[in-house]
Amino acid sequence: MKKILLLLFFFTAFIPSQLHAQETSKKAIIVYGSDDCHHCIDTKAYLKKNNIEFVFFDIDKNAVALKEMLAKLKNAGISTSNLGIPVIDKQGVIFTNNGVFEEFLKKLN
């Protein structure tokens, strides 16, 4: 019985995070944001309109994505003290929406 519980724990704890990483590595752009954020909604619309492939993670609902985003920001040397969303991972280049929104959108191409 203990072996079954241990296997069950392993699969629930480790497999979903590995699948998450595999899924996002196939996409050119990862967008971390919130479904309630107007800049996030506009960013998704811009990407769809311009046929740019992306995956969106709602950091309000997905704790794994939030942790992943914070780690990427830390590794990129980007402060989280005054963080603007969405946060973009464009093939390993991390940037945020802190400034003129139209300039931010241009970086997505």
Side-chain angles (χ1 to χ4, degrees), residues 26-31 43-56 88-91 95 104-109:
K26 295 177 185 176
K27 303 293 181 183
I29 294 180
I30 302 170
V31 180
T43 297
K44 291 189 296 182
Y46 177 87
L47 291 166
K48 288 176 186 175
K49 178 182 172 186
N50 289 284
N51 297 314
I52 300 171
E53 190 174 358
F54 73 99
V55 63
F56 176 79
I88 303 296
D89 178 346
K90 184 178 178 184
Q91 300 175 338
F95 56 95
F104 167 79
L105 291 177
K106 288 179 186 177
K107 294 180 184 179
L108 298 173
N109 291 319

Side-chain angles (χ1 to χ4, degrees), residues 44-103:
K44 291 189 296 182
Y46 177 87
L47 291 166
K48 288 176 186 175
K49 178 182 172 186
N50 289 284
N51 297 314
I52 300 171
E53 190 174 358
F54 73 99
V55 63
F56 176 79
F57 292 107
D58 186 335
I59 59 171
D60 292 333
K61 299 175 185 172
N62 186 333
V64 173
L66 174 61
K67 185 176 177 180
E68 181 179 277
M69 178 194 77
L70 292 172
K72 288 179 180 182
L73 288 166
K74 181 180 178 182
N75 290 339
I78 298 172
S79 173
T80 58
S81 64
N82 192 19
L83 182 64
I85 55 175
V87 172
I88 303 296
D89 178 346
K90 184 178 178 184
Q91 300 175 338
V93 177
I94 311 300
F95 56 95
T96 65
N97 174 34
N98 287 336
V100 179
F101 186 62
E102 290 73 24
E103 294 298 318

Side-chain angles (χ1 to χ4, degrees), residues 15-26 30 57 64 68:
I15 299 301
S17 63
Q18 290 177 353
L19 291 176
H20 173 73
Q22 290 173 356
E23 176 187 347
T24 59
S25 66
K26 295 177 185 176
I30 302 170
F57 292 107
V64 173
E68 181 179 277

